Amino acid sequence: MKKTMVLLMAICLTSLPVTTPVAAEDSVRVLDAWARASILASRPAAAYATIESVSDDRLLGVTTPTADQVMIHAVEKNGDVSRMKPVGALAIPAGKRVTLAPGCMHMMLMGLHDKLDEGETFPMTLSFEKSGEITVEVSVLGIAANGPENSERGAGQ
């Protein structure tokens, strides 16, 4: 009986798939992370980036020591009225770029600890369902910026 159990355990252990952990940077890239400068710390700010992945993945959440909370928002338009709608998770399709940009999908920084000053940077950690966490430096651009110059941006979502 003991020999049978040992044999069964050996078969189960050897039949488990062997996987090699993949670094998030190998499967997901976060390009051109930026935010606009803010006038006051008491007002929310938005951050933007372009995300691409070699396999289907989902952005589950974002954190930064710069703000109490980061929410992923979509923008819904109804005629001339635009409304922000929280998104629980953002699909990142394999081989496509998803661009978060002003007037579109973005990361809302709630409860800023200090105002964002042009020329500064701050860290932001993006948590992906399959690829884990990636921490990027977010560049703070001018208050009216529409994105970084000379970026690697491609067609967005």
Side-chain angles (χ1 to χ4, degrees), residues 9-156:
M9 286 176 57
I11 291 170
C12 289
L13 290 175
T14 57
S15 66
L16 293 174
V18 177
T19 58
T20 305
V22 176
E25 293 83 9
D26 292 340
S27 57
V28 172
R29 289 188 343 148
V30 179
L31 310 166
D32 301 324
W34 68 282
R36 287 183 175 143
S38 61
I39 298 171
L40 303 168
S42 61
R43 301 277 304 159
Y48 313 99
T50 298
I51 305 168
E52 60 184 27
S53 179
V54 296
S55 60
D56 288 341
D57 209 336
R58 293 185 328 145
L59 176 61
L60 301 177
V62 183
T63 59
T64 179
T66 303
D68 292 335
Q69 181 181 19
V70 181
M71 298 175 70
I72 304 165
H73 279 174
V75 175
E76 291 182 343
K77 293 185 179 184
N78 185 5
D80 291 339
V81 178
S82 295
R83 293 195 174 153
M84 292 183 288
K85 177 183 174 188
V87 175
L90 176 60
I92 311 295
K96 303 215 186 231
R97 286 185 168 186
V98 176
T99 300
L100 289 77
C104 299
M105 192 86 60
H106 59 278
M107 296 170 279
M108 185 63 73
L109 309 174
M110 311 291 283
L112 287 176
H113 299 163
D114 290 303
K115 69 183 185 116
L116 302 179
D117 290 318
E118 184 175 353
E120 293 183 347
T121 63
F122 63 90
M124 190 164 60
T125 301
L126 291 80
S127 299
F128 294 91
E129 182 176 57
K130 296 177 184 172
S131 301
E133 294 183 343
I134 296 179
T135 300
V136 297
E137 282 297 312
V138 178
S139 299
V140 179
L141 305 181
I143 201 160
N146 285 318
E149 293 181 26
N150 305 319
S151 71
E152 294 186 47
R153 281 190 190 210

